[in-house]
Amino acid sequence: MAITKQYLKSKPICKVTFTVPAEDAKKVSVLGTFNEWNEKKALQLKKLKNGTFKGTIDLEKDNSYEFRYLIDGTFTNDEGADAYKVNEFGGENAVLNL
């Protein structure tokens, strides 16, 4: 799993690209504080020919966001996250610092 950050000079925005290798998965999405943990608003990642899922979202810089991947109904964290924070369910959420 990988996270790429591209800061825009013209706007206070960071383009964040999520890449998840999940060849056997049917659906991968990203839920977090930036979409109110709402599955209907989740960033749906597109499956590439090489079996990885990829998607990009614009987020305001100078903020922190908690997120997790939802891979075929199972929540997973990104080992490349900037940090981790304990969630209300006794697990951890990945943290993205922009």
Side-chain angles (χ1 to χ4, degrees):
M1 290 180 233
I3 301 168
T4 308
K5 301 173 189 174
Q6 180 185 1
Y7 292 92
L8 302 183
K9 292 179 181 174
S10 59
K11 299 177 188 173
I13 297 286
C14 180
K15 286 189 171 294
V16 180
T17 302
F18 298 97
T19 306
V20 180
E23 287 183 41
D24 298 330
K26 290 179 176 54
K27 183 178 176 185
V28 178
S29 53
V30 185
L31 283 86
T33 52
F34 47 82
N35 56 24
E36 300 157 6
W37 297 98
N38 185 329
E39 235 180 298
K40 292 177 182 169
K41 297 179 183 177
L43 172 64
Q44 301 297 324
L45 303 186
K46 291 187 174 118
K47 190 167 191 174
L48 306 177
K49 289 180 182 176
N50 65 4
T52 61
F53 285 78
K54 194 172 188 177
T56 302
I57 190 170
D58 291 348
L59 298 173
E60 285 185 34
K61 67 178 195 173
D62 300 325
N63 283 312
S64 284
Y65 302 92
E66 292 180 40
F67 75 97
R68 295 188 90 184
Y69 297 116
L70 187 60
I71 302 173
D72 289 343
T74 303
F75 278 107
T76 306
N77 276 333
D78 192 317
E79 68 271 0
D82 297 325
Y84 297 95
K85 186 175 177 183
V86 175
N87 64 31
E88 60 194 62
F89 304 106
E92 288 185 325
N93 294 335
V95 176
L96 190 61
N97 295 318
L98 304 178

